[in-house]
Amino acid sequence: MSHRILDRDQVEHIAKLARLRLTEDEKDLMAEQLSSILDYVAKLNELDTTDVDPMHHAVDRSNVFRDDNPHKSIDHNEALANAPQTDGTFFIVPRVI
Amino acid sequence: MKYEAVIGLEVHIQLLTETKIFCGCSTRFGDAPNTNVCPVCLGMPGVLPVLNKKVVDFAIKLALATNCSIAPVSQFARKNYFYPDLPKNYQISQYEKPIAEHGWLEIDTQNGPKKIGIRRIHMEEDAGKLIHDESKPVSYVDFNRTGVPLLEIVSEPDIRTPEEAAQYLKTLRDIVVYLEICDGNMEEGSFRCDANISLRPMGSTELGVKTELKNMNSFKNVQKALEFEIRRQSALLDRGEKVVQETRLWDAARGVTVGMRTKEEEQDYRYFPDPDLVPVVVDKEWIDEVKNTVPELPRDKKLRFMDQYGLPEYDAEILVSDRHLADYFEETIVRFNRPKTVSNWILTELLRELNQRECSITQCPVSPERLAELLQLIDDETISAKIGKSVFEEMFSTGKSARTIVEEKGLKQVTDTDLLEKVVSEVLEQHPKEVEKYLGGAEKVIGFFVGQVMRKTQGKANPKLVNELLRKKLEEKRSK
């Protein structure tokens, strides 16, 4: 295992953005593991890409469109079927304000 | 100290497409909650967004109308954050490669025209709508609006006063409405504005710390919020305190901006190219195709109306405020070439009738041809201007032509001199006292006589002729 690229503060920040609650031990573990992943990927930086165009996309295609024609797909009840909580009209979530 | 405000505006416009940006769900406003939704806009796993071509057409259209360069290749990106109105936990937007950049539009200010730079225009999806319960600790989510196409238009910080900000918004709104890509309704949220504002000492070129203002749902509120913020920031700076970079909400009821307690982390969106969406490539051919659909823009039209038809700015401004009203005006003057007369009729009679009936110009029951015919009848003195106005009302409510109404009701102006002479003599005989007054020098009495003649002819007498005849008869009496 090499030096840590990510410190604990950064791990806490990322955990917060991802809405994850980590124990102190987990924070250490994540710093370790994420660092080694980044370290591994950093190998790509060794390549000289001066004359390589940035890749916009994994597949070599562009301009995939649909026409502006409405179509109904699922009905209201199906849409709500996976709601954590519903009154039959809305998705209900814990208050956010 | 004297400060200068540096203001930049971010405008979001909802596009007038039939369907959402990445799925075929309807964008209709006001439908029952969660009825225009599908797996794509609900962010279900494994679905694939497919871009609505019309959104790109509209973006190109606006880019052309705001003098932007259109990117040959643009790309969608994911903006990551958690909020219940965003089912995927990311918003599909554009980041490094927006569809258009580096444009400008010209606004009218007290010191003449001014160019305001447009930094970028990008395509993105709207979020859902949250309704908060006062009595329970829950929020209700309606995903009908999720995925409705938006264009975000970011200005350069070229705006210096709240008035300029309002003028910029008005100019931009007029443009998007003319382009028929957005209905421009600020109250209903189809045209939204956030503002960035910082202050700096007059003459300085450095930028101060800015705040971002949100929650302003009218031009007036944008202006008021900026005015408040200038006062607030000036007071802070005068006391030697610092402006804190933050988002503040405009509270229209109290007329103040209030800081939102946001944590720095929330601004970390970790944008990255969306692997589900391939790049958008726009070539010259596509741009030319869209160019053909860009109409003359409101400000150009206004200047042309003033120049070509000699209209006052006030008239031109109102006429071009609605593209269809401007068309109506021009279609009318093709048949009746007195621009100012036509403008007067449209601004007063026509708009009054339309407002009274809450009817738009496109539903106007009186066509430009028919208005021209009416004006012709007045011009050649077949009817008086006064009768013309009542004929116009009648045209509006019955849909009949002016000529038909004039004939049916026998409203033709009486220009028969013999007949009018008879009436004039009658009136003079019936009012000897007034005749005395006239002869005694009170020439104003002539108005009374004209009124009497009009009454006897149900308003149909040609007023000019009546005046002439009255004076002739009265002078004859004097010389006797």
Side-chain angles (χ1 to χ4, degrees), chain A residues 13 16-19 56-57 61-66 68-74 76 79 87 89-97, chain B residues 18-21 23-24 33-35 38 50-54 75 82 84 97 133 137-141 265 268 275 277 279-281:
Chain A
H13 175 64
K16 201 163 197 171
L17 289 173
R19 302 289 194 273
H56 300 305
H57 208 273
R61 287 188 68 182
S62 59
N63 291 2
V64 177
F65 299 123
R66 18 173 292 277
D68 188 29
N69 298 321
H71 69 83
K72 195 90 195 133
S73 80
I74 56 173
H76 181 62
D87 57 0
T89 304
F90 291 101
F91 290 77
I92 299 178
V93 297
R95 173 136 60 179
V96 284
I97 270 196
Chain B
E18 293 290 313
T19 67
K20 295 187 178 180
I21 182 166
C23 61
N34 296 304
T35 52
C38 76
V50 185
L51 180 58
N52 183 342
K53 182 167 180 284
K54 202 162 202 179
Q75 170 78 53
F82 288 103
K97 292 174 166 292
D133 197 315
V138 296
S139 296
Y140 301 92
V141 197
E265 284 89 347
D268 191 345
L277 288 152
V280 177
V281 175

Side-chain angles (χ1 to χ4, degrees), chain B residues 13-15 17 19-21 27 55 124-125 147-151:
Chain B
I13 61 167
Q14 260 180 10
L15 297 182
T17 53
T19 67
K20 295 187 178 180
I21 182 166
T27 53
V55 173
E124 64 183 25
E125 57 179 348
V148 167
L150 300 177
L151 290 180

